[in-house]
Amino acid sequence: MKYNGLTDSEVKTSREKNGSNIIPDSEPTTFWDEFKETFGDPMIKILLVIAGIMIVMFFFGYAEIYEPVGTIVAVIIVAIVSAKTGVASDTAYRKLKEDQKKDTCKVYRNGMVTIVDVDDVVVGDKVLLQSGDKIPADGILIDGDLRVDNSALNGEAEECKKFATAEDKIFAEEITGDVFVDEYSLFRGSVVFDGEGVLDVCKVGLNSMMGKMAEDMQDEEPDSPLKVKLGILAKQISTFGYIGAAVITLLYIAFFIVNVGGFRAYFATGWTNIVQDLVEAVSLAIVIIVCAVPEGLPLMISLVLMQNTKKMLEHNVLVRKAVGIETAGSLNILFSDKTGTITKGSLEVVEFFTANGDTIPFDEIKNHGKIKTMLDVAIGMNSASMYDGSHKVIGGNATDQALMRFLGEDNYRLISSDTTYIAGVSQGFNSANKFSQVEITDLNQTFYKGAPEKFIEKATKALNENGEVVELSTDALNEKINELASRAMRVLAFGYSDRKMVQDCINDDVVLIGLVAIRDDVRPEAKDAIKEVQDAGIQVVMITGDRLETAIAIAEDAGLIQNEKDVALTSAQLAQMSDDELKAIIKDIRVIARALPTDKSRMVRICQEMNLVVGMTGDGVNDSPALKRADVGFAMGSGTEAAKEAGEIVVLDDNFKSIKDAILYGRTIYNNILKFCKFQLVINVAAVIVSAISPFFGIEEPLKVTHLLFVNLVMDGLGAIMLGNEPALEKYMLEKPRRRDESIISKKMFFQILTMGAWLTIISFLFLKAPFFDKFFENDAQKYTAYFVLFIVAALFNGFNVRDEGFGIFKNLNANPGFLKVWFTIVIVQAIIVNAAVVPFVVFTWIGNMFSCVPFGIMGWIITIVLSATMIPVDLLRKCLVSKK
């Protein structure tokens, strides 16, 4: 036996010194873990604190129980929804390991070949590798030769040839994309296509490339941009709440002092009265500040995200983690896989040309009779591929299959059934000859297909466009081939001879029929989608395991590389650069070739350190760490389960266009969240101001606690449905990406909220204090009930205002039929509450009493609705003034 391998004691020593080949697993995430995590959300924390305060106030008789109970129920619903959608996110790494635990390998030990678990392999083991084996550890090939598939690690299913090297060869410490395709290095997770050899194990477990990927998978995922923005909003609301509560408390104390004639008179009322006033002032301040918090915002976001997951399916996008949709709309930079995403994912013939370099369009080849006939025979009778009964191309390699699709099933069937074209002897393609040939017996001709250089060595004749045999111009042909090679095209030539076939030889009388250019071409729709994404301000970087020249050619055709400033790097170049050096040029990078899994994760990390929102696409196990680390991972539908579990979004058709659609919907969702915030915060700001200053105008509780409950819960939930389904507008793709730490409330949005909140406050006090409105109501109870209607309906009219930043506030209502349905539903529900006392049932009487509402006349309804409708012209006037600045 050539190798004795390690002894049992040497195995033990190696394991103690170099570690085990086991890649440790993390603890699985449970529903309960995900449920608890929801309560770390900053908005949820604020809501729970408020609910706790309101419960304490309820027991002291200063608040109603409806508000805290409603808030707690809303929080629990959000937690359940979030836990259900997030519980699978931890399974990516676990799925990756489940399959590997079952793997075994053949190892030389104690003078014999032994089958052991992959986890038991140690540094120094000699592993016997044969066709179909999965490589169990990193190391070097010391015997035999192999053909290896590295796609699990670099994403490219190219056949890598590996040859034996000396046992004392040092295994590379710095792994780059070029090391994967060198002559002797082998890596855990790769698969042996063909051959037999012996692996000398150099790296095991977490020290292997697969182990480093596994460590990356266990890193904490970054907070989503939406969570960061909500944290900022929560801080702003908290600050507003603390300051507001203090100011309102002081104002009320001042009000009490002024009412009794000054400080001396006030203190003369006794400490009991003062403490009671202080408690009432603080209690009222807390109740008012509760109004400022958009309590339904977390629930609204959950509902909006869940509503849009169904819409995304229509665009071939399956959303695994709902927050991923919104994050997609916040992208600053997107790292995209090449194969199958930007390109079609399979080889195809993209051009046919004659030996003089003239291209013949596909639809015109049929007009060139002799060329077409000879070409059909050279492909159809000289291929390992064929069409099966279900009209699919089977057999042969990727090139043969591409040629067969170019030939077409009808032509293939016609050639195959024609007795004129019966194949005699033939010789398949091999890497030494670089051509295949077949003799057609009845024609006494031999047909060839293969590398152009094999034909140029022999051929002196070629067919021109008219099918005439002419002298071959090698200069024109070589110029065309070189031009295509610069665009990453593989060129194949076809020829025929009037002599019998000679084994391993192209006959001297060979005549060139023509040539084809083949490659995995750029998807036509991907070009348009990439341009749209770039126009949206998102930097697109193609990251691939392919060689640099091919990657650059594809990137140029796809529109990624457009000028000399655009940078294309290899993994080796990347490894030589520090993080700071990369940060300096990151904005110019368009291509990373020969990329390693660690390169992808590193690029994601560096971009996130620059406060960029990062997207990553991928389909293999090699992509999983980067998919998980990225802010949003786009896993390809045809990819591995590990990739799908690591990503937030699965692109079912592997198409870059679907990624563009996901970005559009993400931006739509964020815009709809902004619309809801403007809608709800106008109500809340007005409610705070009206409730805070109304006592100073002699108005006691214009909005009851139950009214505020209706505002904070009913309007929130239904408002989410009303504005959450606003349609996706292409203009969103022209907006600049938002920073991760950007506040939800911009200056422009703040001005809109303040303006419309102020106007709602003004019409509130006009309605409540102006004598003109008294004549429409019989008593104060009716007028206060009408004010409740005015407040809600005014907010509903403002719902039209927030639909569009400009003047198209009534556009696209047909694309969101739920808007008007919810709008009128809220009005009808409020009408029922107001007129509940008219219905002679106890439950309706209870509803009327709970909301302190009494029926009022039709004129009161008309004047109330007309006054509410002024929200629209006032906001249009604001937009006019803003647009002129």
Side-chain angles (χ1 to χ4, degrees), residues 397-709:
N397 57 28
T399 302
D400 274 343
Q401 291 183 5
L403 290 171
M404 189 58 67
R405 285 190 289 270
F406 170 62
L407 174 64
E409 184 174 7
D410 291 341
N411 289 329
Y412 170 73
R413 302 285 184 201
L414 187 62
I415 290 289
S416 300
S417 61
D418 193 328
T419 55
T420 306
Y421 306 114
I422 296 176
V425 292
S426 63
Q427 181 179 10
F429 181 91
N430 63 65
S431 56
N433 291 332
K434 295 186 178 179
F435 69 89
S436 63
Q437 55 182 335
V438 61
E439 182 180 302
I440 304 300
T441 307
D442 287 358
L443 297 178
N444 291 317
Q445 288 178 320
T446 302
F447 288 82
Y448 307 92
K449 79 173 191 307
E453 62 268 22
K454 304 301 289 186
F455 291 87
I456 293 173
E457 291 173 2
K458 294 285 186 78
T460 59
K461 304 290 184 181
L463 296 181
N464 65 13
E465 291 185 351
N466 299 320
E468 299 165 342
V469 178
V470 296
E471 291 295 321
L472 172 63
S473 172
T474 55
D475 290 341
L477 181 57
N478 282 326
E479 184 180 347
K480 178 71 173 181
I481 291 172
N482 291 335
E483 186 266 325
L484 292 169
S486 70
R487 294 166 52 202
M489 303 282 193
R490 180 184 177 188
V491 178
L492 282 180
F494 304 92
Y496 73 93
S497 164
D498 290 327
R499 300 177 188 170
K500 289 185 177 295
M501 191 191 98
V502 178
Q503 198 76 9
D504 297 326
C505 180
I506 294 176
N507 293 332
D508 293 338
D509 69 331
V510 65
V511 178
L512 271 177
I513 301 167
L515 303 94
V516 294
I518 299 176
R519 80 169 179 188
D520 179 13
D521 208 21
V522 176
R523 291 177 183 259
E525 66 273 23
K527 292 182 182 180
D528 295 334
I530 286 171
K531 185 178 186 305
E532 286 187 64
V533 171
Q534 290 173 328
D535 289 345
I538 300 170
Q539 180 181 345
V540 182
V541 180
M542 188 175 76
I543 188 162
T544 174
D546 217 332
R547 62 194 183 95
L548 182 62
E549 294 78 9
T550 301
I552 289 175
I554 294 293
E556 287 175 342
D557 280 3
L560 291 173
I561 293 180
Q562 298 177 359
N563 54 58
E564 294 180 355
K565 292 182 180 180
D566 294 334
V567 175
L569 299 172
T570 64
S571 174
Q573 292 170 319
L574 211 63
Q576 293 171 2
M577 300 176 72
S578 68
D579 286 358
D580 288 338
E581 288 174 328
L582 276 174
K583 287 177 181 178
I585 65 166
I586 205 103
K587 69 181 188 306
D588 297 320
I589 295 176
R590 297 295 180 269
V591 173
I592 299 174
R594 289 298 189 206
L596 295 171
T598 47
D599 292 331
K600 298 179 182 182
S601 295
R602 182 189 179 200
M603 292 305 297
V604 171
R605 173 181 57 78
I606 288 172
C607 290
Q608 288 172 336
E609 288 175 1
M610 296 173 67
N611 216 24
L612 301 175
V613 181
V614 187
M616 172 67 70
T617 76
D619 57 2
V621 175
N622 62 304
D623 299 314
S624 300
L627 286 170
K628 186 175 182 182
R629 183 189 286 268
D631 294 295
V632 58
F634 297 94
M636 299 299 107
S638 63
T640 62
E641 286 303 312
K644 292 176 189 175
E645 292 293 346
E648 286 82 7
I649 292 174
V650 179
V651 182
L652 299 177
D653 60 355
D654 295 6
N655 196 334
F656 195 92
K657 182 180 182 299
S658 297
I659 297 174
K660 187 275 293 185
D661 290 337
I663 293 170
L664 171 59
Y665 267 84
R667 292 191 169 194
T668 300
I669 287 168
Y670 188 73
N671 273 279
N672 289 351
I673 290 172
L674 294 183
K675 291 174 185 178
F676 174 81
C677 286
K678 287 184 281 189
F679 170 77
Q680 189 64 30
L681 289 175
V682 165
I683 308 174
N684 292 1
V685 166
V688 168
I689 298 173
V690 169
S691 298
I693 65 177
S694 58
F696 298 96
F697 288 86
I699 305 169
E700 293 186 10
E701 285 192 288
L703 292 171
K704 308 293 183 184
V705 172
T706 48
H707 297 168
L708 298 177
L709 176 67

Side-chain angles (χ1 to χ4, degrees), residues 759 761-780 782-784 786-787 790 856-857 859-868 870:
W759 178 249
T761 302
I762 290 170
I763 60 175
S764 293
F765 282 103
L766 278 175
F767 182 82
L768 291 168
K769 296 299 291 182
F772 169 78
F773 296 102
D774 292 342
K775 60 185 176 183
F776 298 102
F777 306 98
E778 296 177 6
N779 50 52
D780 287 345
Q782 285 190 354
K783 191 175 182 182
Y784 275 78
Y787 175 65
L790 181 148
F856 57 90
M859 287 305 298
W861 277 94
I862 292 172
I863 197 67
T864 299
I865 291 173
V866 168
L867 194 58
S868 302
T870 60

Side-chain angles (χ1 to χ4, degrees), residues 5 58 158 221 313 321 336 341 400 444 544 624 637 675 689 730 880:
F58 165 72
E158 57 185 339
E221 295 182 54
L313 271 177
K321 301 176 186 177
S336 176
T341 307
D400 274 343
N444 291 317
T544 174
S624 300
K675 291 174 185 178
I689 298 173
E730 289 295 334
C880 281

Side-chain angles (χ1 to χ4, degrees), residues 169-461:
K169 187 76 175 181
I170 303 299
F171 183 74
E173 286 296 325
E174 291 294 327
I175 307 299
T176 68
D178 292 327
V179 176
F180 277 124
V181 294
D182 70 13
E183 293 188 344
Y184 55 84
S185 300
L186 299 171
F187 296 88
R188 179 173 181 167
S190 298
V191 177
V192 178
F193 267 141
D194 193 20
E196 184 171 311
V198 176
L199 163 70
D200 183 20
V201 176
C202 302
K203 299 280 187 181
V204 295
L206 293 175
N207 292 320
S208 68
M209 182 56 62
M210 186 71 79
K212 291 175 182 176
M213 288 163 53
E215 283 188 308
D216 281 344
M217 288 281 282
Q218 296 188 62
D219 287 348
E220 287 294 321
E221 295 182 54
D223 287 341
S224 71
L226 182 58
K227 187 173 182 179
V228 173
K229 290 179 175 67
L230 287 176
I232 295 170
L233 179 61
K235 186 176 180 181
Q236 291 170 335
I237 290 174
S238 298
T239 302
F240 175 71
Y242 298 143
I243 296 173
V247 170
I248 291 171
T249 301
L250 291 174
L251 284 175
Y252 270 88
I253 294 298
F255 176 71
F256 295 144
I257 292 172
V258 171
N259 264 359
V260 295
F263 281 100
R264 183 173 296 178
Y266 183 66
F267 283 114
T269 61
W271 285 106
T272 302
N273 183 68
I274 292 172
V275 170
Q276 186 176 348
D277 285 350
L278 183 62
V279 170
E280 286 184 8
V282 171
S283 300
L284 185 57
I286 291 172
V287 171
I288 292 170
I289 296 308
V290 167
C291 300
V293 180
E295 291 167 296
L297 183 58
L299 179 58
M300 178 268 172
I301 291 171
S302 296
L303 288 173
V304 169
L305 293 177
M306 295 307 296
Q307 285 167 359
N308 281 275
T309 57
K310 294 180 180 178
K311 292 182 181 179
M312 293 307 300
L313 271 177
E314 298 172 7
H315 294 268
N316 296 305
V317 175
L318 174 64
V319 180
R320 287 192 57 258
K321 301 176 186 177
V323 73
I325 318 175
E326 187 282 326
T327 307
S330 302
L331 288 180
N332 301 114
I333 186 167
L334 173 65
F335 292 99
S336 176
D337 193 19
K338 172 183 74 70
T339 306
T341 307
I342 292 176
T343 64
K344 296 176 182 177
S346 62
L347 295 179
E348 66 173 345
V349 176
V350 295
E351 187 173 343
F352 174 80
F353 57 97
T354 59
N356 62 8
D358 292 335
T359 298
I360 300 178
F362 291 167
D363 58 352
E364 293 182 14
I365 294 176
K366 63 180 180 294
N367 300 326
H368 301 266
K370 185 174 181 180
I371 288 179
K372 182 181 187 308
T373 300
M374 303 299 270
L375 184 64
D376 288 354
V377 176
I379 295 175
M381 303 307 296
N382 189 17
S383 176
S385 295
M386 65 182 70
Y387 281 92
D388 65 8
S390 60
H391 313 291
K392 292 181 180 178
V393 177
I394 60 171
N397 57 28
T399 302
D400 274 343
Q401 291 183 5
L403 290 171
M404 189 58 67
R405 285 190 289 270
F406 170 62
L407 174 64
E409 184 174 7
D410 291 341
N411 289 329
Y412 170 73
R413 302 285 184 201
L414 187 62
I415 290 289
S416 300
S417 61
D418 193 328
T419 55
T420 306
Y421 306 114
I422 296 176
V425 292
S426 63
Q427 181 179 10
F429 181 91
N430 63 65
S431 56
N433 291 332
K434 295 186 178 179
F435 69 89
S436 63
Q437 55 182 335
V438 61
E439 182 180 302
I440 304 300
T441 307
D442 287 358
L443 297 178
N444 291 317
Q445 288 178 320
T446 302
F447 288 82
Y448 307 92
K449 79 173 191 307
E453 62 268 22
K454 304 301 289 186
F455 291 87
I456 293 173
E457 291 173 2
K458 294 285 186 78
T460 59
K461 304 290 184 181

